[in-house]
Every structure is written in C-alpha cells, then in structure tokens.
Amino acid sequence: MSTSPMKESIPTLANATPIALEIPPSPRTHRALRRLQSAHTLGQSSNQPSLITQQHKQALQRNLSPASNPPSTSRHTRGRSNSDATNMTPPNLGSAGRRPLLRKKSNVADQLSLVQLVRDGPPDGDLIGALDSARLKILSQGIKSDTDGMSSLRIYVWLILLNAPVLETDSYLALIHRGASPAYSKIRNDTFRTLATDPLFRRRVSEASLIRLLNAVAWKLHDAKEERAENLAKSAGKINTANMQGSPELQSTTPALKSRARALTLTTEGSDAGGSEPGTYVQGMNVLAAPFLYAARSEAEAFVAFHRFITNECPGYVRGAMDGVHKGLALVDKVLAIVDPKLSLYLIGKGMTAELYAFPSVLTLCACTPPLPQVLRLWDFLFAYGAHLNILCIVAQLVILRNSILSSPSPTKILRSFPPLQSETIIQVTLTIIKKIPDDVYAEIVSHAK
C-alpha cells in the first residue's frame, strides 16, 4: 500500500520458532563465513575486539541458518576474499539495503497496547512512531480475537492501516436507496456462492448484506467513472473552443495534423486506457469483500474499508482485464524460481505455472482458502506491511508443501486446492524468504497491483 513500510524496515520475529523449509543452503552462506573468517584474521592484531570479531560471534550464535536468519541477497555481487574486510562497516539501520531484525529506537508508543493506540491515538502526535509500533505489535502479538476470529478491534485497525476516510452512514444508505446498479445482475450471479462452504461466514454474514455492499461499491465506482468522463469532455470542449477561436499554434498546423488531433481526442474521451479507476464489478470482488463484512461491526464500516482497499491498494485486480492479477501470477513464478529453483523447475516441467493454480489466491489475497479466522490473521499482516506481500505468502505456501509436491508424480492434485491456511507459519516463512528477493523484483511486487 502507499503508506506501507519499505522492504528494509520489515522486521524478523526474534522469538520465532525456526521452520525447517528443507531448501538447499545458498553458496552465499559459505562465502559469508569465509569472508568473516578472513576479516577476523586481519583484525586480530588490534587490542580492542574488532567489528569483524563481534559480527563473527553473532554469526556463530545464529549459526547462519537459512531458515532462521538467511543471508541478505539484495546485491548480487561477488565479494573478494581479503579486501572484503575494508568493506565491513557497522550496520546502519536506516540505510537502504539493510534488513534489521528489530527496530532499536525507543518509542513512546511501544509502552502502550494496541487497544490504547487505537483508542487514544498516537502519543505526542507521533503518527509515524505509532504506526511503526502498531505494525510490530500486530506482527509479534497479533490482534486478540476469539476462536471464530471475531474481534471488536480488528476493523478499526484495518481502517487505520488502509488510511480509510471517515464516512457517514447516511452516505452509504443513499447509495443503497439508488437501487440496482448497472452491475447488479453480475453481483447476483456471484453472491450466493461466496464462501459457501464456510459455516462461520454463512452464520454471520447474509447474502443480502453482501449484495448491498457490492451494489453500493458498484455505484461509487460508476460515479467515479462518470465524473472522469465529464472532466475529459470538459477538457476536450476547451480545446475545441480554442481551436475555433484560432490559437496561433493550431493555426500554423496543417489540416492533416488538426484532423489527427481531433481523432485522438475523440478516442481518449471514451477510453479508460491508462486510467487508475477500477471497473464497477469483476468476478472475485465478492470473495474480497467477504472478510470485510465478517470483521466489521456494520455494513458502512465494511463498505468504506473495502472501497478504499480496491481503489487504493489493488485497483489492477478489479479492472476489466485484471492486469494486476496476471502480473501477480507472473511474479509468483519469478519469486519461486529465486527462492527454490528446484521446486520451480519441477513445476514448470509438469506444465504447472502459477496461472493454473494460484489465480484465486492472488485475486482474493488467499481469502479463498479456509479457515476464515486464519485468513483474518493473515490479512492483519498484509494490511500492516503491504498487501503486495500476498505474492510472497503464496510462494511460502508452496515452500511449505515442497516435499509433498516433489514426491508427487501429479502435483496438480495437490495444488488444485491449497491445504487449510496456517497463518503464523506462512508469515514466518514469508519473513524468511523476503530477505532473498532482489530489490528490483521486490519493486515489481510492490507496484504490480496498481
């Protein structure tokens, strides 16, 4: 999302239980050890323990395990054996390319609970510090909820993280009272099968409320497109008026150029090419809206959070061509090839690309995979650190299934429907593999849904 933290500031859980991913160790792990040993030898003449010595001890304590603390791979340059010692500088937690384990700077908001931060607002007006602290609390402690995933706090945390505007209930009711939107028939074709096998969702959220929410969003998006079309028409009218009055620039052009400019204007008026507005409704929006209705305490809250999410976080997912979803699927293949080349080659050899098995998971941010309480916990993490991380969460699920996939002659059966979500495990694996993603690929992940 636009206000989500940078890659370098996403922490690793210090107390997380290491997960055996059974991924072959990278050759960079051994090169890192050799560099540290070489630098340690060069620094032994000093009376004071060198930075290399301290880093060596820290590396030995962590054992440089690829599962618990993988080496940074953002810069793919081959180091030199001895001269690396002069390049070993103290970690700068604020510099680009560094991945701190935990934020060291003391923060007043750290002393408050997540409930207090939401209720009382940022202490001393420190909004950045309060958001930073809230994200870390969500990652390390989670949002307290019951066994059904219900929490009185969650929807307000989501609204804050999404930077959703304040909306009066009357504004939502006004959209409902307008009746059926142009997308109403498409909405009715999808709502009855939304999470149809999830008893928690069916018990708490009615189909009528889902229809009202999606229909109101469709009206809102329809109005936005109408407003954009009017603005384009006004701009075209001003240009035509200037032409009739005879601007010196256009008077000097040839009739052919004038005709071409007019044709281009007429084509642009009725086109959404290059626009950032999503369509009024595409299949899959019903599943995306479901967790918002389940977590919210009113339809109006769910409406403003969902509308903000699809227009600001993933407009590319709900445009007619779903270009953002297809970019995300290509990134799943690319990231898997980086994280686990053997698994990637095996799936490609079986003709299994992400387009065949990951489309629902990309489009719905894994909301298509039960159970719903685990979806809500995963969304807490995604909204805190960026919904684009869903791409890595999907790769994390493939890594968790690695042994089963490699030992299966037909992985299609395994990937036809993903196993039940285990949000904590997925988050831990995601935090592990994120350190292996090159910065240019990570930039593609951040922007793919826009």
Side-chain angles (χ1 to χ4, degrees), residues 289-309:
F292 288 102
L293 276 172
Y294 186 85
R297 305 185 65 166
S298 70
E299 284 185 26
E301 289 176 343
F303 166 80
V304 68
F306 177 61
H307 179 264
R308 174 69 176 182
F309 175 71

Side-chain angles (χ1 to χ4, degrees), residues 76-221:
H76 295 281
T77 56
R78 182 172 180 175
R80 295 171 295 172
S81 59
N82 291 333
S83 59
D84 283 342
T86 58
N87 296 330
M88 301 287 283
T89 56
N92 180 5
L93 297 181
S95 63
R98 308 299 293 184
R99 284 92 169 174
L101 294 180
L102 287 175
R103 178 172 42 81
K104 292 184 177 181
K105 184 178 179 181
S106 179
N107 193 333
V108 178
D110 293 342
Q111 310 303 320
L112 304 178
S113 67
L114 190 59
V115 175
Q116 289 174 309
L117 285 175
V118 174
R119 182 190 63 201
D120 302 331
D124 302 327
D126 183 10
L127 179 60
I128 302 299
L131 282 172
D132 190 21
S133 179
R135 289 183 175 116
L136 193 58
K137 292 179 191 297
I138 292 169
L139 178 62
S140 59
Q141 304 169 13
I143 298 176
K144 292 183 179 180
S145 57
D146 59 22
T147 56
D148 291 345
M150 298 307 303
S151 169
S152 59
L153 182 65
R154 173 170 281 119
I155 187 59
Y156 301 112
V157 174
W158 287 5
L159 289 167
I160 291 170
L161 294 174
L162 293 172
N163 195 24
V166 177
L167 177 78
E168 296 181 357
T169 304
D170 288 345
S171 299
Y172 175 65
L173 293 175
L175 292 171
I176 293 175
H177 292 157
R178 289 171 65 174
S181 69
Y184 182 75
S185 60
K186 294 181 180 179
I187 292 171
R188 290 302 304 269
N189 287 336
D190 289 341
T191 51
F192 72 93
R193 54 190 173 204
T194 304
L195 304 185
T197 60
D198 194 312
L200 294 177
F201 179 76
R202 306 301 293 183
R203 185 172 66 230
R204 177 171 173 82
V205 180
S206 67
E207 183 185 358
S209 64
L210 183 58
I211 292 171
R212 286 193 296 268
L213 172 66
L214 293 172
N215 193 66
V217 168
W219 273 125
K220 189 80 171 176
L221 299 179

Side-chain angles (χ1 to χ4, degrees), residues 26 30 59 139 143 172 182 208-209 222 241 246 275-276 326 348-349 364 382 394 414 423 427 443:
S26 169
H30 306 297
L139 178 62
I143 298 176
Y172 175 65
S209 64
H222 177 268
T241 301
S276 60
H326 294 290
I348 292 175
T364 67
L382 293 178
I394 296 171
I414 299 175
S423 58
I427 291 171

Side-chain angles (χ1 to χ4, degrees), residues 258-268:
K258 291 181 181 180
S259 177
R260 184 170 179 270
R262 175 171 174 77
L264 181 61
T265 302
L266 293 176
T267 303
T268 307

